[in-house]
Amino acid sequence: MNSTERKTWNEEHKRLTAMILVPSEHRETVSLLLRLHSRLHASVGEDGLAGYEDTLLLNITEDTLRRYPVQSSDTRNPVVWHLWHSARIEDITMNMLVAGSRQVLEEDGMQNAMRIRFFHSGNEMTEEEMAELSREMQVEGLLEYRRAVAQRTREILEAMEPGQFRRKVEPERILRIREQGAVTPQAGWLADYWSGKTVGGLMLMPATRHHFVHLNKAMRIKGALQRAAKEKRTRRT
């Protein structure tokens, strides 16, 4: 996804925002949601186009994925955290809050594949925890998790019926994410934020826009580290 494609994505997301709560626009809303969602992930759609995640991962080094802290204007967190956190948020909101089902993370072997102990959303982590995650995360397991989360979301979207985007998040489901530790007490503000959302609001943020924000941050990290490495090589010659 290049800069022109990102601009188009933003424009289409604005159009989605204007129509998502209109039941008569349901079919077009689902179609647009699926298209915008697929452009963020690694080739989960049917159009054969490379997604934003594909672009990020192209020619990226393990050091770039894990580097912590990073020197960026809007984040200190490593690329692996941005990929994991955005997937965790999608998993929690789409499955626990929208569908009322188990998280993808709870499936057999999914958390073990990433080899990290964190079950929560990734908000309000300490520096020590962030360093641990950047060091221990198994990248292939992380990418497998992201693919599974994206596919589950698409299944949820395809099963939506007209009018369901207007439904408010049920308080019992908010309570469940607190009780299960999907959101830590320190990040309780996040559960409060979700409690005021409609299903459509969750589709806009986080299922689509939240990924876009974190992929943008990850791309800036990648670009900065690549430029620094190139300058270092130039000085050596």
Side-chain angles (χ1 to χ4, degrees):
M1 184 185 280
N2 57 35
S3 59
T4 300
E5 291 169 330
R6 292 197 295 274
K7 181 179 179 181
T8 298
W9 191 96
N10 267 316
E11 291 170 351
E12 290 201 319
H13 197 267
K14 290 178 182 178
R15 183 163 70 91
L16 175 65
T17 301
M19 65 192 292
I20 195 167
L21 297 183
V22 182
S24 62
E25 300 283 356
H26 181 78
R27 176 178 288 186
E28 177 60 21
T29 293
V30 171
S31 176
L32 183 53
L33 262 169
L34 288 169
R35 185 162 71 250
L36 292 176
H37 182 265
S38 71
R39 299 295 286 121
L40 299 173
H41 290 273
S43 305
V44 299
E46 299 176 355
D47 55 16
L49 297 174
Y52 201 173
E53 182 183 334
D54 294 301
T55 304
L56 172 66
L57 296 175
L58 183 65
N59 298 324
I60 198 169
T61 65
E62 185 161 346
D63 176 69
T64 297
L65 283 165
R66 298 184 184 278
R67 181 74 66 89
Y68 175 74
V70 297
Q71 302 301 317
S72 182
S73 61
D74 54 2
T75 184
R76 287 166 46 85
N77 300 344
V79 171
V80 288
W81 178 86
H82 288 283
L83 291 172
W84 171 75
H85 165 69
S86 55
R88 286 295 299 123
I89 293 288
E90 181 177 353
D91 191 5
I92 294 165
T93 56
M94 294 299 101
N95 291 291
M96 298 186 75
L97 297 184
V98 174
S101 60
R102 284 166 43 113
Q103 299 179 73
V104 171
L105 188 67
E106 296 179 79
E107 294 181 356
D108 289 345
M110 190 60 70
Q111 187 162 7
N112 287 339
M114 291 187 282
R115 297 186 188 174
I116 56 170
R117 61 185 175 88
F118 306 108
F119 183 81
H120 53 67
S121 67
N123 295 90
E124 308 295 348
M125 292 177 69
T126 66
E127 291 187 5
E128 291 77 14
E129 290 170 334
M130 197 69 69
E132 178 186 340
L133 182 142
S134 67
R135 181 179 64 249
E136 301 295 335
M137 176 70 74
Q138 295 300 301
V139 175
E140 285 304 315
L142 169 60
L143 299 182
E144 178 188 353
Y145 175 59
R146 286 182 60 85
R147 286 190 294 270
V149 168
Q151 183 57 43
R152 178 74 63 78
T153 294
R154 297 177 73 77
E155 293 168 1
I156 291 169
L157 272 172
E158 290 168 347
M160 296 292 289
E161 297 181 355
Q164 285 190 315
F165 290 124
R166 299 169 68 94
R167 193 184 74 220
K168 294 282 289 186
V169 172
E170 297 175 19
E172 295 79 8
R173 295 180 180 182
I174 293 291
L175 179 61
R176 183 173 165 230
I177 67 171
R178 294 182 190 273
E179 291 176 342
Q180 290 195 4
V183 170
T184 65
Q186 295 86 349
W189 56 266
L190 183 57
D192 292 338
Y193 170 74
W194 289 335
S195 69
K197 289 288 188 177
T198 61
V199 169
L202 292 177
M203 294 296 175
L204 294 171
M205 183 72 174
T208 49
R209 172 65 64 183
H210 187 250
H211 276 290
F212 192 75
V213 168
H214 282 280
L215 286 166
N216 279 338
K217 291 183 179 183
M219 281 295 291
R220 287 193 287 273
I221 294 168
K222 176 185 177 183
L225 291 176
Q226 287 182 336
R227 288 191 297 273
K230 184 177 180 179
E231 290 172 2
K232 187 175 181 179
R233 291 193 299 269
T234 300
R235 288 196 298 270
R236 287 176 176 174
T237 58

